[in-house]
Amino acid sequence: MKKVLSIILILVLCLSCTVSAATINIPNVLKHPGDHRPVPTEFEKSKDYSDLHYFPMAADPDKTFEGLTGGKVILGNDALFYEGATVEGGKTYGTVETVAVEGMHFDKALRFTTTEVPGKHSAFNYRIYPDDFDAFKDYKDGEMCLAKFYVRNIEGGNFDTKTNRIYAYFCEKSFRAPNHRETYKIVDFDHNWRAAYVPVKLNHEYGKAGYIFSLNPIYYKGIVEVGGFELINYGIGKYDYQDMPVMLGYYQGCEEDAQWRKDAMERIDRIRKGDVSITVKDKEGNPIPDAKVNVDMYEHEFDFSVAIGQQIAKMPKYREAVVQNFNHLGTEGGFHRQTVNDDENIQYDYNDAYIKFAKNNGITHGVHGHALLWDANIDQFWMTAYEPVYKDKDKFMESVRKHFEYMAERFGDDVTVWDVTNEDGSRVYGPTCTFKNLYGNEILIDFYNWARELFPNATLMLTDGGHEVNQEFSDWAIETLKPDMLGVQGHAGPAFIPEKIIEALYRTYERYGLEMKITEFDTSGVTDDVNYQGNIARDALIAYFSVPYIDMIQLWGFWNSSSTTLQWRFMYYNDWTLKPGGIAFQDLVYNKWWTREEGTTDKDGKYNLRAFYGDYDIKINANGKDYLLSVPLYKDSKNHVEIVLDDNNATAYIKNSDTKCTIVTTSDINTSNEALVIAEYKDGKLLGAAPSKGESIINRNEFLSAAYERKDPSSELYTILSTTQANLIPIK
């Protein structure tokens, strides 16, 4: 690097060390800032969109059930409500009642209201005892039975996935070790009625104490309903456990030939790629035929982001995985307020280190700020800073304002996208909403006005949970608060249906006209079955990337931090080997959705291709010489690239539109303070000019780049290639 720029860089680095209260050092992964990220390059699959990773999963349980024949219903829905049924834990953990049902083939159901989550699987349960029924008593050893019932969520459950869960089992009454774990099932469901299945092979020796069928709503606070119960006997020898429906491991749209996926991939090819025209000429403007052209993508324009944690400062493999896989960062709540005095928040020192790490390690798309304010329970750690003042509106609002001012002063130059608030629509009017319950939604008006004042150059987002928005709140908020974009939390749980997610995102855009970012993408609720998890990760990525109004997908963590328990973070196991979800992610992002092409110019010096939008190394071999340029090929550009080869360097003129252009030239490392200037002249008068901002050093190659928008279509454009030589070069 040139001497002057080196001195400036040293001064900048010295000044940066005095900004934060504590210095947290995160070692770099790249040896040289400006190097390309070492992205994945080896894959098991081809680039063909149809050649995807499909991980083995169970079949659709409803279709499996439909394929079973010869069954006899020995107990019906009334068996759920007989006088011998028992409730355990009802006084402590919730209630059970009978309610009427409309629109189903059964007319009543059990309603479970869980008011407290028990610590044990069987602490809150409702049980029936099949041996009390004559139709069951005469069973024979080896008879294969299946309990079928329907379940739906009414209220509560998993906040992120909008689903609920029960534990159901059909086993021997004294809970001796069962012959098969298949008789114990975890059932996940949303607000729609869903059929659930629990198989059991009957045996008098095992069941000498009698059988029980148990429903245990023990995972979440909320209300669920269960009805439509049937116990079906398929006899001896025809079926075994492996023939019965499997609840976990299937979702609608996971099929390899699913039409939604074909449509989405076609859409991706249309909206995430563009036509690129490259023309190679000599300095006299003559086309150069038969020049070899290599177009090698080194970064997506799209943000593939990850929310990181403090492990990045402590674990080399964590750092390496972040740099290898992501071009954008966020944190899992690292920007939340945690202390009354913001200077005492150690997480903010980590944030400073994250920002520096991103700049030094090729993570060029920046850092996402989540969030300036999160209105939830006052006893949550990110809320306790407001506990002393929240009951006094004036003091509370003053405290929020000062916090926003602090965040603007400390992070305003580096964080250019902010979730102003979080989950307002999904928490509004609920028990996990403190400030708005006290003072109304109108307090958000000040918050957004302050954010716009204090972060004038930032994108301000209204971010909420789930793909379906709270329409009443969102209508008010978007009209009143006027956010720049919407944040949509991407928790893809057990009720995940990719086609419905795509439809919901399109509806949201059509209603509000705002582009969106996917935040908090994980597979919440899907942990133990990593194949199921991997298929969800694959299809969620395809679904999100196929919606033209999405410009970021941010993973909510990526590493399974536990060495003993599988988690919803789907990229890496604890030992840093790839999970199925990580294999699918790398295959899609860096294989299917990545452009590496080469060819030869025709007689007119042209080479055309279709490429994903992003940053590229374009290598030219002509007349026995090699030339290299780093060129942006972005979505809003025409991407007509004219490359002029001189004796020692190359210059690319990229036509972005009829009035906008970008110029990139190889830099002369021997010229101190070299600069590139685009100048516009008409009738001998200078109408405007745009300079480069120092060199771009990419993989230790130096480039100058400047962008300009023409003021008069009839004017003439020139480039000036250094500050020491006023050599005007006309742009053709």
Side-chain angles (χ1 to χ4, degrees):
M1 182 177 288
K2 301 174 185 62
K3 183 176 180 181
V4 173
L5 293 176
S6 299
I7 294 172
I8 293 172
L9 179 60
I10 292 169
L11 290 172
V12 170
L13 291 174
C14 291
L15 289 171
S16 68
C17 294
T18 65
V19 173
S20 62
T23 300
I24 293 172
N25 180 54
I26 302 178
N28 289 330
V29 172
L30 301 185
K31 291 183 179 179
H32 304 279
D35 281 0
H36 297 335
R37 294 189 300 114
V39 302
T41 57
E42 296 182 2
F43 311 97
E44 297 177 17
K45 299 288 186 176
S46 70
K47 293 182 69 66
D48 193 304
Y49 288 170
S50 64
D51 189 22
L52 295 168
H53 285 277
Y54 293 98
F55 307 102
M57 282 202 321
D60 180 347
D62 294 333
K63 290 184 179 179
T64 300
F65 174 75
E66 291 170 4
L68 301 176
T69 61
K72 179 182 178 181
V73 177
I74 57 176
L75 295 180
N77 195 44
D78 287 342
L80 276 183
F81 308 94
Y82 88 114
E83 66 277 3
T86 63
V87 178
E88 183 179 353
K91 292 183 179 179
T92 305
Y93 301 112
T95 60
V96 185
E97 59 184 316
T98 302
V99 296
V101 173
E102 295 181 356
M104 294 295 287
H105 62 277
F106 51 93
D107 59 5
K108 60 181 177 179
L110 295 171
R111 172 171 286 187
F112 296 89
T113 301
T114 303
T115 55
E116 195 68 32
V117 176
K120 296 181 179 179
H121 276 71
S122 294
F124 181 29
N125 62 68
Y126 180 93
R127 292 173 179 163
I128 65 171
Y129 305 90
D131 297 88
D132 292 347
F133 298 88
D134 291 338
F136 181 83
K137 288 179 180 179
D138 295 333
Y139 69 82
K140 296 178 177 61
D141 287 350
E143 287 184 329
M144 193 72 225
C145 285
L146 183 67
K148 178 184 180 184
F149 57 96
Y150 290 81
V151 62
R152 68 173 175 177
N153 189 34
I154 301 298
E155 181 181 297
N158 185 316
F159 181 85
D160 289 327
T161 62
K162 306 300 184 287
T163 59
N164 215 315
R165 169 180 283 187
I166 64 169
Y167 188 44
Y169 47 85
F170 204 137
C171 67
E172 191 268 343
K173 196 172 183 178
S174 62
F175 297 100
R176 290 187 301 154
N179 293 334
H180 291 275
R181 290 301 300 174
E182 289 90 338
T183 60
Y184 292 77
K185 296 293 183 184
I186 295 172
V187 183
D188 293 286
F189 46 91
D190 60 13
H191 64 281
N192 297 302
W193 284 109
R194 180 190 183 185
Y197 306 91
V198 180
V200 61
K201 185 182 285 187
L202 302 178
N203 179 277
H204 284 86
E205 176 61 27
Y206 169 67
K208 64 174 61 176
Y211 282 93
I212 60 172
F213 173 73
S214 184
L215 296 165
N216 303 24
I218 46 82
Y219 294 101
Y220 303 106
K221 293 180 181 180
I223 302 172
V224 301
E225 291 181 351
V226 178
F229 175 79
E230 291 180 329
L231 181 60
I232 307 166
N233 190 324
Y234 291 96
I236 301 171
K238 188 174 184 179
Y239 298 117
D240 210 330
Y241 282 109
Q242 67 267 20
D243 303 309
M244 295 292 105
V246 176
M247 292 302 300
L248 289 177
Y250 175 86
Y251 56 90
Q252 182 182 327
C254 70
E255 304 84 4
E256 291 189 25
D257 62 348
Q259 186 60 45
W260 78 265
R261 193 183 297 110
K262 297 175 185 178
D263 295 340
M265 283 299 206
E266 184 278 329
R267 207 162 47 247
I268 287 169
D269 210 57
R270 188 174 70 251
I271 67 173
R272 302 298 182 188
K273 296 173 77 173
D275 294 324
V276 178
S277 173
I278 298 173
T279 303
V280 182
K281 297 182 177 181
D282 63 22
K283 59 184 179 181
E284 280 78 31
N286 302 309
I288 301 178
D290 300 321
K292 293 181 180 179
V293 182
N294 182 284
V295 181
D296 189 5
M297 187 176 188
Y298 67 86
E299 195 56 86
H300 257 288
E301 182 179 19
F302 190 91
D303 290 347
F304 288 102
S305 183
V306 65
I308 60 173
Q310 295 180 7
Q311 298 97 327
I312 197 171
K314 307 165 188 175
M315 302 177 66
K317 287 187 178 296
Y318 190 105
R319 292 191 288 276
E320 291 166 5
V322 168
V323 173
Q324 182 183 38
N325 290 288
F326 306 104
N327 60 15
H328 185 272
L329 296 184
T331 75
E332 291 187 74
F335 285 97
H336 293 327
R337 188 178 183 187
Q338 298 180 21
T339 56
V340 174
N341 181 350
D342 282 322
D343 275 327
E344 297 174 357
N345 186 349
I346 187 65
Q347 181 57 51
Y348 290 166
D349 299 321
Y350 276 95
N351 293 348
D352 289 330
Y354 299 158
I355 292 166
K356 181 179 177 182
F357 179 82
K359 292 177 179 178
N360 288 341
N361 289 277
I363 303 173
T364 57
H365 289 208
V367 177
H368 181 103
H370 171 80
L372 291 174
L373 188 87
W374 188 3
D375 184 1
N377 286 327
I378 196 63
D379 59 354
Q380 298 293 326
F381 77 91
W382 60 86
M383 294 279 283
T384 52
Y386 295 105
E387 199 279 334
V389 298
Y390 79 98
K391 292 182 180 179
D392 184 316
K393 184 178 180 181
D394 290 340
K395 291 182 178 178
F396 165 68
M397 297 296 281
E398 180 184 4
S399 180
V400 174
R401 168 74 190 198
K402 287 182 177 179
H403 173 64
F404 279 26
E405 290 173 349
Y406 178 91
M407 299 298 280
E409 182 177 357
R410 183 157 184 174
F411 301 114
D413 292 337
D414 296 302
V415 180
T416 56
V417 177
W418 285 98
D419 299 332
V420 179
T421 51
N422 185 51
E423 296 177 350
D424 289 311
S426 49
R427 292 180 183 270
V428 69
Y429 312 128
T432 60
C433 177
T434 299
F435 307 145
K436 294 186 294 298
N437 283 348
L438 282 173
Y439 305 120
N441 294 337
E442 287 70 23
I443 60 172
L444 296 173
I445 297 173
D446 280 343
F447 299 163
Y448 277 75
N449 286 339
W450 295 340
R452 200 167 305 283
E453 170 196 345
L454 296 167
F455 302 90
N457 299 317
T459 297
L460 303 182
M461 292 175 53
L462 178 71
T463 299
D464 223 319
H467 309 97
E468 294 283 4
V469 299
N470 177 333
Q471 189 167 302
E472 179 183 359
F473 174 83
S474 295
D475 286 350
W476 173 86
I478 291 167
E479 174 66 25
T480 307
L481 307 177
K482 295 180 172 52
D484 301 315
M485 292 186 73
L486 299 180
V488 180
Q489 292 180 5
H491 301 288
F496 168 78
I497 300 176
E499 191 166 14
K500 289 187 177 180
I501 285 175
I502 292 170
E503 291 170 356
L505 292 171
Y506 268 89
R507 283 197 303 271
T508 298
Y509 181 80
E510 287 165 3
R511 186 172 186 86
Y512 301 118
L514 292 178
E515 294 193 346
M516 294 165 275
K517 297 180 186 291
I518 300 297
T519 68
E520 302 190 23
F521 171 37
D522 59 21
T523 58
S524 292
V526 180
T527 56
D528 292 342
D529 189 337
V530 294
N531 284 349
Y532 183 18
Q533 184 183 70
N535 288 322
I536 286 179
R538 177 201 64 232
D539 284 342
L541 283 164
I542 293 171
Y544 295 144
F545 197 53
S546 76
V547 177
Y549 317 116
I550 304 294
D551 73 357
M552 181 188 81
I553 301 171
Q554 183 177 90
L555 275 62
W556 199 236
F558 70 107
W559 171 60
N560 202 119
S561 60
S562 172
S563 61
T564 58
T565 304
L566 291 170
Q567 298 171 326
W568 61 88
R569 293 172 170 88
F570 62 77
M571 282 284 290
Y572 289 92
Y573 290 107
N574 182 259
D575 65 359
W576 291 105
T577 56
L578 285 170
K579 284 182 163 183
I583 293 171
F585 178 92
Q586 290 188 352
D587 178 62
L588 288 171
V589 176
Y590 295 104
N591 185 24
K592 302 290 191 295
W593 302 336
W594 199 265
T595 300
R596 301 175 180 92
E597 299 286 348
E598 60 182 16
T600 305
T601 57
D602 62 16
K603 62 181 179 61
D604 297 317
K606 294 185 180 297
Y607 172 65
N608 299 321
L609 73 155
R610 190 163 175 80
F612 281 99
Y613 297 119
D615 293 296
Y616 285 82
D617 283 335
I618 297 182
K619 300 173 185 176
I620 307 292
N621 177 271
N623 303 323
K625 292 185 177 182
D626 292 321
Y627 301 86
L628 174 66
L629 287 166
S630 175
V631 173
L633 300 175
Y634 293 162
K635 184 175 182 179
D636 293 331
S637 172
K638 287 187 175 182
N639 291 319
H640 294 171
V641 183
E642 183 176 296
I643 298 176
V644 178
L645 305 181
D646 203 339
D647 292 337
N648 299 310
N649 72 339
T651 300
Y653 164 54
I654 304 106
K655 185 175 183 181
N656 307 124
S657 70
D658 290 338
T659 59
K660 295 180 180 179
C661 69
T662 301
I663 308 293
V664 179
T665 184
T666 51
S667 177
D668 181 1
I669 61 175
N670 297 313
T671 303
S672 181
N673 293 328
E674 187 180 32
L676 168 70
V677 177
I678 302 174
E680 180 183 11
Y681 285 88
K682 185 175 182 181
D683 300 329
K685 295 182 179 179
L686 179 66
L687 301 184
S692 60
K693 298 179 180 179
E695 300 98 326
S696 296
I697 302 175
I698 301 172
N699 272 22
R700 292 179 298 288
N701 295 292
E702 294 185 296
F703 304 96
L704 300 174
S705 178
Y708 187 78
E709 183 170 7
R710 191 192 295 262
K711 295 178 172 55
D712 187 327
S714 63
S715 65
E716 296 176 313
L717 290 183
Y718 295 86
T719 58
I720 305 172
L721 280 179
S722 79
T723 55
T724 59
Q725 302 176 36
N727 50 334
L728 293 177
I729 301 174
I731 298 173
K732 303 292 184 182

